[in-house]
């Protein structure tokens, strides 16, 4: 009987430690608020934006929940190089328009509260792609040279 009690106590203690172990592992693996900061994948997805200086973005395939999906969605913020937004606004028509929602998908939750402070969003329908399985929306903040984006199948 003593042996069974000890085994039960050991299993219970192990299950109690598991959530703490998982949280520590996330921190140790550099969860960084659960977003990516590398700009290279964004520059491949959005070559028109040119080199990017900073980024915070997430992917629908991050922390995969075991639900297979052929679709990839990336969403986040990136900072344009100085003068790039002026170049884009000179070449394309823009309208004052902000995003309709505040990151509604489960994978976008880490981005809530991030981004520029008091943005003045503008958008160019010319720069959004739609068709052939691509769907991209981009909003630009003039004051911070930041672009907010959400793209479905950005690499084709």
């Amino acid at each position: 009987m003593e042996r069974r009690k000890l085994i039960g106590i050991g299993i219970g203690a192990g299950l109690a430690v598991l959530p703490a172990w998982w949280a520590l592992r996330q921190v140790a693996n550099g969860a960084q608020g659960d977003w990516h900061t590398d700009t290279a994948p964004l520059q491949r997805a959005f070559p028109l934006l040119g080199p990017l200086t900073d980024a915070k973005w997430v992917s629908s395939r991050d922390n995969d929940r075991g639900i297979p999906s052929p679709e990839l969605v990336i969403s986040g913020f990136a900072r344009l190089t100085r003068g790039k937004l002026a170049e884009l606004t000179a070449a394309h028509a823009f309208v004052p328009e902000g995003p309709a929602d505040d990151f509604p998908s489960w994978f976008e939750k880490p981005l809530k509260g991030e981004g520029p402070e008091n943005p003045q969003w503008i958008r160019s329908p010319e720069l959004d792609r739609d068709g052939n399985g691509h769907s991209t929306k981009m909003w630009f903040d003039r004051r911070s040279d930041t672009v907010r984006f959400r793209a479905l199948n950005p690499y084709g």
Side-chain angles (χ1 to χ4, degrees):
M1 197 71 119
E2 282 299 313
R3 186 175 180 186
R4 288 184 190 176
K5 278 186 180 178
L6 288 174
I7 291 172
I9 291 171
I11 290 172
L15 290 175
V17 170
L18 189 60
W21 169 81
W22 181 84
L24 288 173
R25 194 177 116 211
Q26 292 290 65
V27 170
N29 287 339
Q32 321 164 303
D34 295 328
W35 56 65
H36 301 274
T37 58
D38 48 335
T39 59
L42 302 179
Q43 290 171 181
R44 282 193 310 274
F46 313 121
L48 187 62
L49 300 180
L52 302 169
T53 62
D54 187 30
K56 286 184 183 175
W57 59 279
V58 294
S59 160
S60 60
R61 294 188 183 153
D62 291 344
N63 299 320
D64 194 347
R65 293 184 167 190
I67 302 170
S69 173
E71 297 181 335
L72 167 67
V73 178
I74 59 174
S75 182
F77 300 98
R79 177 104 14 122
L80 304 171
T81 56
R82 189 171 200 78
K84 185 63 179 180
L85 185 53
E87 180 184 315
L88 290 171
T89 56
H92 303 279
F94 279 80
V95 296
E97 181 182 327
D101 52 39
D102 189 29
F103 302 110
S105 296
W106 64 267
F107 71 94
E108 294 174 306
K109 299 292 185 225
L111 295 172
K112 285 191 177 208
E114 297 297 322
E117 193 172 316
N118 300 315
Q120 294 179 352
W121 297 117
I122 57 174
R123 182 174 160 260
S124 174
E126 295 174 37
L127 296 178
D128 292 345
R129 294 181 296 181
D130 211 353
N132 297 334
H134 295 77
S135 177
T136 301
K137 299 283 188 218
M138 291 188 276
W139 301 270
F140 299 84
D141 178 34
R142 285 183 188 263
R143 293 193 294 171
S144 66
D145 287 330
T146 299
V147 59
R148 176 180 164 177
F149 58 88
R150 188 171 203 283
L152 169 65
N153 296 326
Y155 306 109

